[in-house]
Amino acid sequence: MQEYFHSVRLDTDKCKGCVNCIKRCPTEAIRIRGGKAQIIESRCIDCGECIRRCPNHAKTAFTDNLQDLANYRWNIALPAPALYSQFNYEVSIEQILEALLSLGFDEVFEVALAAEYVSSQIHDYLENNTGNRPYISSACPAVVRLIQVKFPELIDHIIPVDSPAALAGRIAKCQSSARLGIPPEQIGVWFITPCPAKVTAVKQPVDMEISYINGAIGIAEIYGELLKNIGQNANNVKRTATYKGVGWALAGGETKATGRDSTLSAHGIQSVNDILEQVVLGKLNDIEYLECQACAGGCIGGPLMVQNRFVAEKNMKKRLEFIKNQGLNDDKEAQINYDPAEYALVKQKIEPRSILRLDSDIVKAMQKMELIEKTLARLPGLDCGSCGSPSCKALAEDIVQGHASETDCVFKLRERVKALAEEMVDLAQKLPPSLNKENEEGFYDRR
Amino acid sequence: MTNEQTLKMEFTLKSMDFNLAGEASSKIKQVLQRIGISSAVIRRIAIGTYEAEMNAIIHAVNGKMTVEVSKDKTEVTVVDEGPGIHDVDMAMTEGYSTAPDHIREMGFGAGMGLPNMARCSDVFSIKSEYGVGTEIYMIFNH
């Protein structure tokens, strides 16, 4: 197995080697080499920012597709709450779930319901633990990975509570296996995902050994089919989650559902980066809980969504208002008996994956640091990206680490060419003494 | 010889320059991460330098922070020209603050600065002359 699985990939045919993606990547994980973007695997956190930025659609997300359902006897869809934002609120959640069934799933389990359980787990955890404030949500896998690679000192702040998707997968698989008498390995559980980060989280979880979810299917991948299959009837499914769980799709929905006072919600990968910097400096110790989402607007702004995020936000707000008033007319307790202990899993510690360290030897790292500063001082400081590195600073580091050379900078190259040209002009003017008529004085006269 | 390798950084701290507040401590943190100092130690240094930086920005007229990183320790010196501290013992008390209201309203001046610095560092000393300035010296062992 490869060291890192990544959902975000490059379509080399479409890549024109422009610098849009390298400049926006929050972990500086992309370089242009040989006229094409190259993703540095150890740095990529699968946030999907490059997918948004690429004007040529050369950045894509690998997700599973409906054909994969054929490999299992029983298939369960786990729709992310954000899926509901892709439809006008007049299309009921039941209709959306029913449409999922008509795509070939045998059962649906709303991640929004698991989100409600997770909300109360978070509430209880915050009630009983104060040591690592502010606690940081574990729900967004791109944020968890950002912390691993760029903020390893904050790993202990990540709340040791499952993400709603992970919990939904576990409950759905275990319960259906018991109910139907089908072995768990013959049950396919599929997360209907708004983002590539979740695909990666499913394929290579950071905090548990195995994922109960078999794959993740991008919302954009099935959107057309879903639209076709939205019918008037929804007789085979019941909505299980209330507005609290569904609200997780929007930035701020999670903190609202936990019912805690001292919380803060940051969204958009750059804003998350900034707020985490503040946590490191000890500025936010009075905050109990920090909800961080890589996508602006929350999951409704995911790179695999179809609707414009503001439209999705409007849809979702309307829907929340609507189902809040409507309430649940069935007793969901009877439908799903949830005992946290039954599904408790020994979670693995999240390991740091720092990309920042220059050398395993401190002294050598210090020497490299000095060299980087000196190299940087010689570079033009325009951060144009033409060299294929995202900034002059990144190029300086690439040079010191042996991955680039100073003449990769077009301005340095020009300087060198200019110096060479001047020297050539200089040399061209020189003549051997036998031809040099201007210098007619005799050899001996010079003395 | 190589063991004596050190990295020096210097930052100018300007009175009431909130645009740059936290800039120095963030920069220091980044450098320490690149060198490979452990996360727990970086955390302490980040908090210690941030408090010192903010103290100088809020209270002093002009200040300078000098940082010297060597293999096994980071030394931080913050010298400022400013009002100085009237009663250092008092200032070391948790919750004691002379910050004016408008600063407190911004979420600063909770009276935890000096106690936090002392708690985070392995060696902490403070010299202050009222009306002249303050000098803080901290060592963080790696």
Side-chain angles (χ1 to χ4, degrees):
Chain A
M1 190 175 156
Q2 66 196 104
E3 196 181 359
Y4 299 115
F5 172 91
H6 284 296
S7 169
V8 175
R9 293 168 193 193
L10 180 80
D11 182 342
T12 31
D13 291 342
K14 287 186 182 164
C15 178
K16 293 195 170 150
C18 70
V19 298
N20 283 297
C21 61
I22 62 171
K23 310 236 19 124
R24 304 304 279 266
C25 174
T27 57
E28 299 191 329
I30 315 172
R31 300 288 183 277
I32 309 288
R33 294 287 181 264
K36 303 281 176 192
Q38 242 177 42
I39 304 173
I40 304 168
E41 300 238 319
S42 58
R43 286 178 166 255
C44 174
I45 57 170
D46 284 299
C47 65
E49 193 64 17
C50 54
I51 296 180
R52 273 193 203 98
R53 302 297 168 192
C54 180
N56 307 308
H57 304 288
K59 288 285 178 13
T60 56
F62 164 83
T63 82
D64 295 294
N65 56 51
L66 293 170
Q67 274 96 61
D68 298 316
L69 270 60
N71 303 327
Y72 298 87
R73 264 175 76 190
W74 187 261
N75 287 292
I76 308 172
L78 307 178
L83 174 68
Y84 310 151
S85 72
Q86 301 300 286
F87 304 91
N88 190 304
Y89 81 101
E90 282 158 341
V91 176
S92 72
I93 292 177
E94 283 88 348
Q95 279 171 290
I96 299 169
L97 300 179
E98 182 93 13
L100 276 171
L101 288 181
S102 56
L103 296 191
F105 294 101
D106 301 294
E107 189 183 332
V108 283
F109 187 101
E110 285 184 89
V111 174
L113 176 62
E116 287 180 38
Y117 298 138
V118 171
S119 308
S120 66
Q121 280 173 1
I122 294 171
H123 176 277
D124 294 350
Y125 189 89
L126 295 174
E127 190 76 35
N128 300 318
N129 298 275
T130 53
N132 286 320
R133 277 188 185 173
Y135 285 95
I136 302 169
S137 166
S138 64
C140 176
V143 170
V144 171
R145 280 174 163 75
L146 179 71
I147 292 173
Q148 276 183 298
V149 301
K150 258 182 108 177
F151 298 92
E153 64 271 38
L154 297 182
I155 282 184
D156 292 340
H157 288 251
I158 300 174
I159 198 161
V161 170
D162 277 320
S163 72
L167 181 66
R170 215 152 64 233
I171 299 178
K173 188 170 267 189
C174 294
Q175 287 200 342
S176 295
S177 174
R179 191 181 72 242
L180 304 161
I182 299 176
E185 54 284 6
Q186 293 179 18
I187 298 181
V189 177
W190 309 93
F191 182 61
I192 310 301
T193 181
C195 68
K198 278 285 188 197
V199 182
T200 304
V202 164
K203 303 279 180 189
Q204 201 174 59
V206 293
D207 57 351
M208 57 191 80
E209 228 160 275
I210 46 156
S211 169
Y212 283 73
I213 306 177
N214 297 80
I217 300 175
I219 287 177
E221 174 91 22
I222 55 166
Y223 185 71
E225 285 297 308
L226 269 183
L227 262 188
K228 264 193 246 165
N229 284 286
I230 297 269
Q232 289 309 310
N233 300 325
N235 303 325
N236 302 311
V237 281
K238 272 181 181 161
R239 181 161 70 82
T240 53
T242 70
Y243 71 97
K244 279 190 186 166
V246 177
W248 271 62
L250 292 175
E254 175 185 348
T255 46
K256 212 177 277 175
T258 59
R260 307 295 299 188
D261 284 336
S262 179
T263 60
L264 198 148
S265 154
H267 49 107
I269 194 75
Q270 197 50 55
S271 310
V272 168
N273 194 76
D274 294 348
I275 203 93
L276 293 177
E277 290 280 358
Q278 308 247 309
V279 176
V280 174
L281 297 179
K283 281 172 153 184
L284 299 178
N285 291 351
D286 55 330
I287 302 282
E288 219 178 16
Y289 192 58
L290 194 55
E291 169 194 328
C292 292
Q293 281 164 314
C295 298
C299 296
I300 55 149
L304 303 183
M305 299 298 261
V306 177
Q307 296 279 14
N308 171 288
R309 95 150 151 102
F310 295 98
V311 174
E313 189 175 324
K314 179 216 71 170
N315 285 347
M316 191 41 111
K317 282 185 175 159
K318 267 277 192 202
R319 185 181 294 284
L320 288 173
E321 211 177 289
F322 182 71
I323 61 176
K324 197 172 176 179
N325 296 331
Q326 188 188 39
L328 273 179
N329 45 15
D330 46 12
D331 58 335
K332 68 173 176 185
E333 293 306 321
Q335 225 174 356
I336 286 131
N337 295 309
Y338 171 68
D339 171 15
E342 194 184 336
Y343 299 102
L345 195 75
V346 182
K347 295 202 30 144
Q348 284 185 328
K349 196 174 159 22
I350 299 174
E351 293 295 334
R353 240 178 67 183
S354 181
I355 51 170
L356 302 164
R357 206 166 174 174
L358 292 169
D359 199 288
S360 54
D361 181 285
I362 291 185
V363 175
K364 277 189 191 145
M366 279 163 62
Q367 288 163 347
K368 284 183 179 174
M369 193 73 221
E370 258 190 319
L371 215 51
I372 289 173
E373 293 295 332
K374 277 184 194 153
T375 310
L376 181 60
R378 289 197 299 270
L379 295 174
L382 286 174
D383 292 342
C384 68
S386 304
C387 58
S389 300
S391 64
C392 291
K393 200 171 176 200
L395 175 63
E397 189 180 325
D398 289 346
I399 292 170
V400 170
Q401 296 287 32
H403 304 310
S405 72
E406 210 159 300
T407 46
D408 289 349
C409 170
V410 287
F411 299 93
K412 294 310 278 186
L413 185 68
R414 202 170 160 270
E415 260 174 39
R416 285 277 298 277
V417 171
K418 188 173 171 235
L420 264 176
E422 276 169 6
E423 206 184 323
M424 276 175 71
V425 169
D426 209 34
L427 282 172
Q429 280 165 353
K430 287 201 192 319
L431 285 169
S434 57
L435 298 176
N436 193 345
K437 290 192 176 152
E438 275 174 28
N439 191 6
E440 281 177 350
E441 66 208 72
F443 176 72
Y444 293 101
D445 296 344
R446 273 203 212 158
R447 283 188 284 176
Chain B
M1 177 66 194
T2 48
N3 282 342
E4 286 161 28
Q5 171 87 32
T6 60
L7 264 184
K8 281 185 193 150
M9 290 173 271
E10 220 181 86
F11 302 92
T12 307
L13 308 172
K14 267 197 184 150
S15 170
M16 290 298 159
D17 189 350
F18 284 94
N19 284 328
L20 287 179
E23 192 84 359
S25 23
S26 279
K27 182 88 200 294
I28 294 164
K29 188 206 86 166
Q30 278 165 21
V31 169
L32 294 170
Q33 280 181 321
R34 318 243 63 186
I35 298 171
I37 305 300
S38 83
S39 297
V41 175
I42 291 180
R43 206 59 217 281
R44 292 197 285 122
I45 298 176
I47 294 171
T49 51
Y50 175 69
E51 294 285 8
E53 185 183 357
M54 290 316 296
N55 258 6
I57 288 172
I58 292 170
H59 298 287
V61 179
N62 267 316
K64 201 173 79 181
M65 171 142 66
T66 320
V67 181
E68 188 165 347
V69 188
S70 53
K71 195 176 176 223
D72 27 59
K73 64 176 189 293
T74 296
E75 288 173 83
V76 180
T77 314
V78 188
V79 184
D80 71 47
E81 303 159 21
I85 299 169
H86 206 56
D87 185 338
V88 173
D89 288 338
M90 198 66 175
M92 290 298 294
T93 317
E94 289 190 9
Y96 176 82
S97 175
T98 57
D101 285 347
H102 66 276
I103 293 289
R104 285 167 177 265
E105 275 162 21
M106 290 173 70
F108 299 106
M112 292 303 293
L114 291 174
N116 269 346
M117 284 180 237
R119 194 179 308 123
C120 290
S121 53
D122 294 295
V123 172
F124 175 86
S125 73
I126 177 166
K127 278 185 285 187
S128 191
E129 197 175 327
Y130 195 59
V132 179
T134 304
E135 183 178 332
I136 287 170
Y137 175 69
M138 294 181 276
I139 297 179
F140 302 86
N141 294 327
H142 294 165

